[in-house]
Amino acid sequence: MSRGYNFSSGPAALPEPVLAQARDELLEWRGARASVMEISHRGKDFIALAEESERDLRALMAIPSGYKVLFLQGGATQHFAQIPMNFAAGRSADYVVTGSWGQKAAKEAKASCTVRIAGSSESAGFRQLPERYSFDPQAAFVHLTPNETIGGVELHVLPDTAGVPIVADMSSNILSRPIDVSKYGVIYAGAQKNIGASGLVVMIVRDDLLARCPSSLPNIFNYSAQAKEGSMLNTPNTFGWYLASLVFKWLDSEGGVARMGEINAAKARTLYDYIDGSGFYSNPIDKACRSRMNVPFRLADEALDETFLAESEAAGLLALKGHRSVGGMRASIYNAMPMAGVQALIAFMKDFAKRNG
Ligand code: PMP
């Protein structure tokens, strides 16, 4: 077997011990004499897993009481549309746009509420934070994308929304460091970066926001109805939920999000320091908002891009191609990427620069 260091932005690398455990348990899970994929979601074994995974996530993120945890489907994109239906029906919502995912979220919201852009860095090519924010005190919520996966922009400090609930798409930085959940009304994340496999969305939602969900919504789109049914209004993504439960256990065994935060900060610092000092590679993002999860970079001559990608792939450094909308390269270094992977990437980059600079 020759697994490489996988820098994919998502679906992304999973911790190897999690994959090994899933492999070992694939045919027979916890004495069920069947795979976890083959048992009823309403049976006692799966219910125990669901309850345990929620407990583990609550402990990892120190989620206060007064918040529900939902394990949903549809990808983050479905929730771009569903969130305003539930929390802003007939009202206005503020959107902060610091990259293409926030832009997509704002566009989808227009179908069910009035969308105000309360801050945008689009005119600066999403290379810095918005110069100012103008929040509407009457807004139903303020939507933020704390980490923009494509541009590599992270909000390291939350803006002050003067009490208007923050709804945060943390698809690409959930569990990457400690956060104060009580500062948020809703946190949601597609699972395919720091939680597990695609097709699962984890949502942490404050009770007062759940109370807003209009009863006129079809049940399946209604978060309050989902919460009442323990995220089992219909058959959930049981295998995705199981993988998430293994990732939560792994995170705990690695020292939790506090330790992850330290490792992620060190990984990102090491990579950015090398890029900045290389004289061959560059990262265009303002240092105040560089992402610790997604590090885009360009080569001095883009005519070398194809060679760089072919050679890095051959060296076991996978999926470094930047998003098609921005070009160049991108190294995604989520929780499952060890420091050794970042060091292997830097060693390759140094050698490539020496040969081509
Ligand atoms: N938001 C962010 C920040 C993302 O990175 C992504 C996917 N890369 C999405 C939303 C969309 O997720 P999905 O494909 O699960 O709908």
Side-chain angles (χ1 to χ4, degrees):
M1 191 171 67
S2 59
R3 280 175 61 78
Y5 285 119
N6 180 4
F7 294 92
S8 170
S9 60
L14 283 167
E16 234 172 78
V18 164
L19 292 174
Q21 187 175 346
R23 175 199 59 205
D24 293 346
E25 297 178 339
L26 192 64
L27 298 190
E28 268 191 74
W29 175 71
R30 277 194 189 177
R33 297 199 294 167
S35 163
V36 67
M37 276 183 282
E38 301 170 307
I39 59 169
S40 167
H41 55 295
R42 304 203 188 276
K44 67 172 179 17
D45 290 335
F46 195 83
I47 296 287
L49 177 145
E51 289 173 355
E52 194 174 337
S53 63
E54 176 173 341
R55 270 198 306 278
D56 288 346
L57 183 64
R58 282 185 175 275
L60 280 169
M61 292 182 72
I63 301 173
S65 61
Y67 286 79
K68 298 282 183 294
V69 177
L70 308 180
F71 290 81
L72 305 168
Q73 304 180 57
T77 305
Q78 181 176 309
H79 299 276
F80 288 169
Q82 214 175 313
I83 281 168
M85 282 181 205
N86 277 271
F87 306 130
R91 296 176 61 181
S92 173
D94 277 358
Y95 277 71
V96 171
V97 179
T98 49
S100 26
W101 291 111
Q103 211 165 31
K104 286 200 169 94
K107 190 156 170 258
E108 289 297 300
K110 284 183 185 154
S112 15
C113 72
T114 304
V115 171
R116 261 185 89 248
I117 302 301
S120 170
S121 50
E122 189 175 5
S123 61
F126 295 130
R127 283 190 283 271
Q128 59 190 54
L129 293 179
E131 273 169 17
R132 67 191 72 81
Y133 299 105
S134 72
F135 294 117
D136 169 9
Q138 301 303 320
F141 58 73
V142 176
H143 185 280
L144 309 171
T145 312
N147 188 66
E148 281 286 354
T149 322
I150 294 175
V153 172
E154 191 163 0
L155 300 174
H156 296 292
V157 181
L158 276 182
D160 180 4
T161 62
V164 176
I166 292 176
V167 173
D169 170 9
M170 288 201 193
S171 293
S172 51
N173 69 347
I174 194 165
L175 293 165
S176 66
R177 60 166 139 172
I179 57 155
D180 180 353
V181 174
S182 73
K183 294 213 163 81
Y184 299 83
V186 179
I187 291 168
Y188 68 107
Q192 63 268 32
K193 297 137 192 332
N194 268 340
I195 296 175
S198 60
L200 179 79
V201 169
V202 171
M203 179 173 283
I204 300 160
V205 48
R206 216 169 60 200
D207 289 341
D208 61 298
L209 281 141
L210 276 183
R212 290 186 192 173
C213 304
S215 55
S216 57
L217 281 180
N219 248 4
I220 195 68
F221 295 145
N222 186 317
Y223 294 132
S224 173
Q226 280 289 9
K228 282 195 188 97
E229 295 295 327
S231 308
M232 296 199 196
L233 207 60
N234 67 333
T235 316
N237 172 357
T238 54
F239 193 69
W241 201 332
Y242 157 78
L243 280 176
S245 78
L246 298 186
V247 170
F248 299 158
K249 295 275 184 223
W250 173 79
L251 272 171
D252 184 49
S253 73
E254 292 291 304
V257 290
R259 182 76 190 115
M260 272 305 134
E262 289 165 7
I263 298 170
N264 287 329
K267 275 153 49 186
R269 197 181 328 112
T270 306
L271 186 50
Y272 284 116
D273 282 353
Y274 169 67
I275 290 170
D276 291 343
S278 68
F280 185 83
Y281 305 99
S282 60
N283 169 282
I285 308 302
D286 183 352
K287 287 187 178 159
C289 58
R290 282 175 164 182
S291 168
R292 289 195 262 191
M293 296 282 100
N294 310 97
V295 181
F297 61 92
R298 292 189 167 279
L299 275 55
D301 176 2
E302 72 180 67
L304 292 167
D305 282 5
E306 287 307 317
T307 316
F308 181 94
L309 283 168
E311 290 185 8
S312 55
E313 198 84 16
L317 305 165
L318 314 180
L320 285 163
K321 193 175 169 58
H323 190 269
R324 58 190 184 278
S325 65
V326 291
M329 307 298 151
R330 171 177 48 170
S332 295
I333 49 175
Y334 302 115
N335 287 346
M337 175 62 63
M339 178 61 106
V342 171
Q343 279 158 350
L345 172 61
I346 292 173
F348 171 82
M349 289 168 75
K350 272 187 189 159
D351 179 60
F352 187 88
K354 206 160 81 192
R355 289 185 286 110
N356 295 281

